[in-house]
Amino acid sequence: MKTLSNKRIPLIFTLIGGTVMLMSFVTNTTIQQKGAWVAPASADTIKNPLKGKADAIAAGKKIYGTYCNVCHGDKGRGDGIAAAGLNPKPADHTSAKFQAQSDGAIYWKLTTGRAPMASYEKTLTLVQRWQVVNYMRTLKAAK
Ligand code: HEC
């Protein structure tokens, strides 16, 4: 049976050390990502092309009921059927804090996504994403 030569032992420690460092880097990056989700300031300048339009709100409601309610809940309170197992929890779209941000910031977030929420850039068209933003604006009244 071969035994490890003394020369190889430092190499093994270097490999273990490197792996530990890499793992802590990955963990830190994940934790950092879970702080408050803030859209870049540039998102605030994106204009809402369908602002307050009734047909856009109605179309957005259907999209929300198809793609978003599983996590965010039917009334947008963040209590959908898949919510319990998620970390972080789905946002409450009826909260004053959520509603205080600009239309552009909301649009940017659902376009970009952040785990465990997907990006909707490919799933929804630009018009559909604005429809759902305008629907989300009505959720504060529905509380
Ligand atoms: C798989 C579950 C899931 C689905 C489906 C989902 N979301 Fe989310 N959503 C989340 C989670 C979790 C967060 C919180 C993410 C965070 O804070 O990092 C979130 C956050 C958001 C935010 C940002 C909230 C804030 O506080 O600013 C918006 C906007 C949003 N979702 C819109 C939508 C829309 C619109 C849809 C449907 C097209 C949707 N989401 C579908 C899980 C989901």
Side-chain angles (χ1 to χ4, degrees), residues 16-95:
I16 294 171
T19 312
V20 170
M21 269 165 61
L22 186 70
M23 278 166 62
S24 66
F25 173 74
V26 171
T27 317
N28 277 341
T29 320
T30 316
I31 291 167
Q32 268 168 15
Q33 208 187 52
K34 296 307 171 203
W37 188 10
V38 183
S42 59
D44 294 339
T45 64
I46 312 171
K47 287 265 172 306
N48 179 348
L50 304 172
K51 197 167 183 72
K53 290 205 166 131
D55 53 347
I57 293 168
K61 184 176 184 174
K62 282 197 188 136
I63 296 166
Y64 199 89
T66 307
Y67 294 96
C68 320
N69 64 342
V70 62
C71 292
H72 291 285
D74 287 331
K75 299 245 160 71
R77 293 194 185 125
D79 57 356
I81 50 168
L86 297 177
N87 182 23
K89 291 278 171 272
D92 178 351
H93 292 153
T94 69
S95 74

Side-chain angles (χ1 to χ4, degrees), residues 67-68 71-72 88 90-91 93 98 101 109 114 116-117 120 136:
Y67 294 96
C68 320
C71 292
H72 291 285
H93 292 153
F98 173 79
Q101 62 195 314
K109 286 181 183 177
R114 187 167 87 151
M117 182 174 133
Y120 286 89
M136 278 189 278

